Amino acid sequence: MTRRAVLRGVAIAVALLAASTCKEATSSKPIAGWLDVRLVSPNIDDLGVSITIGGAQIDSVRTTFPFFAQVVVNNSQRKVVVGGNIGTGTVAQIYVPDTRHASLYSGALLEIAVRGTFAQRATTGYAVVVAAP
């Protein structure tokens, strides 16, 4: 095989790969699935959190923590209470019609309780982030 033939083959392979990648990236078909609702906490003794999650349509909410309640405000907003041995990390997940639009969703911390005393703690230094797992 000549050098020109090898280069032509490589060029064709790269073009085919680029074309298939572009086709997937520009697909308009929604990709339904779960997004993580993550708590960023400056403390290690959080017992429970009350948060609001909103943005675009939310189908459902789930968590692995032992205590959980939610109020459906409307089809794009939930108020959620999660209790247990909470810390920095995923506290819940939301099921959405298109995970490619995770940036449309946001969360806000309403209240936080201290483990052991159940006292309400200031929300300074906390954050709620919604992102793909």
Side-chain angles (χ1 to χ4, degrees), residues 52-94:
T52 184
I53 307 162
Q57 182 178 343
I58 299 172
D59 180 68
S60 57
V61 181
R62 70 180 183 187
T63 186
T64 58
F65 287 95
F67 303 104
F68 170 71
Q70 74 170 314
V71 173
V72 177
V73 177
N74 55 46
N75 72 342
S76 64
Q77 186 178 11
R78 302 286 196 278
K79 289 188 178 181
V80 177
V81 175
V82 178
N85 192 9
I86 306 279
T88 294
T90 301
V91 294
Q93 291 183 310
I94 57 173

Side-chain angles (χ1 to χ4, degrees), residues 1 11 16 18 21 38 44 46 49 54 64 68 81-82 84 92 96 99-100 123 128-130:
M1 221 187 248
L16 289 173
T21 303
R38 299 180 188 142
I44 59 169
D46 299 326
V49 293
T64 58
F68 170 71
V81 175
V82 178
V96 299
T99 57
R100 296 174 300 168
T123 58
V128 177
V129 178
V130 178

